Amino acid sequence: MTEGRIDYQIQHIAVKHLSVVWVESQRPYKESEARLIADNFDPDLFDPLKVTKPNGNGIFHICDGQHRKGAVEMLWGSDQMVPCHVSPEGDPKRAAEIFLKTNTARRPPTSIDHFKVSVVAELKNEVAIDRIVRHNGFRVDGGQSKEAISAVSSLRNIFSVCGPQVLDQTLRVLHEIWRDDRNAVAGPILRGFGYFLNEFGPYAKHARLVDVVRKKWTPGTLLRDAKAGKEVHGGSTQASMVELLVRTYNRNLRGDTPLKRKESR
């Protein structure tokens, strides 16, 4: 390859002329992986294979894409043509270099990237979550502003386990308690409040919950106490936080029914 210039060429090659010639330059082939690609095949997502120039028998070595090739062969047979990036080199060393660079240089999409693209793709759950997030004055983003929520997995978890109404209530409560602190929507706190409101939302008075939590904790001290409770009692940080919120809500409660766990009702 000439320095500063890419010599790859795109060619359409029949899969019967594609193989892993130098097995030491590739990972092992797994038929189950090829079958998974075949079962979910989308031609718009098919990336060209990376191959080196053919050997003396006319076979191109596959540096990257052996499972894509296997999937195509399962679906359409060995005469099917597939697009390939053809490298001008043809030796095991270069083949191994191409494999390593292809599979280590890629930056996989972050959870935030994946979420945003899913919204653009109009996937039902992500669109609904995004609408709830924006309705409460937040946005899914990796930035440092107080409106940014990066804990995508926690948003998805609350939405799927507790439902959209609980996610909406969780964000509303956290915004009201700590509206100027971006740590209010950290993943463990989102889940802790989400699961608390999923169980006690119909029974806890909104104004009291906001007042007692705001007076007792910052997001950081609440998370600290929840982790300490986990160390003492076991379980998860999320479960420990729910217990802390229940005890704090019930303390010095007058004239109202205290919150009780489901098994105690």
Side-chain angles (χ1 to χ4, degrees):
M1 179 178 293
T2 304
E3 185 176 356
R5 198 180 88 229
I6 298 175
D7 292 332
Y8 278 105
Q9 297 178 347
I10 287 283
Q11 296 182 29
H12 282 75
I13 303 170
V15 296
K16 64 185 175 184
H17 298 310
L18 301 170
S19 183
V20 177
V21 177
W22 303 298
V23 293
E24 70 274 14
S25 300
Q26 256 285 6
R27 61 183 150 200
Y29 177 80
K30 293 183 179 180
E31 185 173 349
S32 59
E33 188 170 339
R35 173 58 62 189
L36 182 63
I37 296 172
D39 290 344
N40 297 277
F41 194 84
D42 185 336
D44 293 329
L45 301 180
F46 190 87
D47 290 331
L49 280 63
K50 286 187 172 68
V51 303
T52 61
K53 66 183 183 181
N55 61 13
N57 298 317
I59 302 298
F60 294 77
H61 169 77
I62 302 172
C63 302
D64 180 69
Q66 61 173 327
H67 294 100
R68 274 170 277 151
K69 176 257 186 180
V72 169
E73 193 165 17
M74 290 176 182
L75 291 169
W76 295 290
S78 61
D79 290 325
Q80 178 64 40
M81 309 286 282
V82 295
C84 299
H85 285 288
V86 183
S87 167
E89 292 95 347
D91 63 81
K93 177 178 180 294
R94 180 57 180 157
E97 288 176 351
I98 294 171
F99 170 79
L100 289 173
K101 289 180 179 179
T102 298
N103 289 281
T104 58
R106 290 174 178 159
R107 182 182 70 85
T110 66
S111 59
I112 294 173
D113 295 333
H114 191 280
F115 180 88
K116 289 182 174 180
V117 173
S118 297
V119 173
V120 175
E122 299 183 0
L123 299 188
K124 182 179 178 181
N125 285 359
E126 282 74 10
V127 168
I129 293 169
D130 188 62
R131 187 178 296 118
I132 293 168
V133 167
R134 292 181 181 277
H135 174 73
N136 285 280
F138 297 100
R139 68 179 187 277
V140 174
D141 193 84
Q144 298 298 311
S145 72
K146 62 186 180 183
E147 297 86 12
I149 299 179
S150 59
V152 172
S153 63
S154 295
L155 293 173
R156 283 190 166 117
N157 179 263
I158 297 168
F159 182 88
S160 62
V161 175
C162 306
Q165 290 183 336
V166 171
L167 178 59
D168 181 72
Q169 188 179 7
T170 299
L171 293 174
R172 185 157 25 97
V173 166
L174 290 174
H175 185 260
E176 190 167 342
I177 298 173
W178 298 303
R179 68 177 65 243
D180 293 322
D181 193 332
R182 67 180 305 273
N183 296 310
V185 288
I189 293 179
L190 280 170
R191 290 183 187 238
F193 273 83
Y195 278 74
F196 171 86
L197 291 168
N198 187 52
E199 185 171 352
F200 300 105
Y203 313 101
K205 290 187 175 180
H206 177 89
R208 177 172 177 80
L209 176 63
V210 169
D211 184 60
V212 298
V213 172
R214 182 190 288 149
K215 287 179 177 178
K216 185 172 179 62
W217 291 294
T218 65
T221 57
L222 174 58
L223 186 56
R224 177 203 64 199
D225 291 351
K227 289 180 177 179
K230 171 189 171 183
E231 292 300 316
V232 173
H233 303 292
S236 65
T237 301
Q238 162 190 303
S240 177
M241 191 174 296
V242 172
E243 291 291 342
L244 284 173
L245 292 173
V246 170
R247 290 204 304 269
T248 301
Y249 183 93
N250 287 340
R251 188 173 294 124
N252 300 321
L253 184 65
R254 296 182 179 87
D256 288 317
T257 304
L259 301 179
K260 295 181 181 179
R261 303 311 301 262
K262 290 178 180 178
E263 60 270 17
S264 302
R265 290 179 194 146

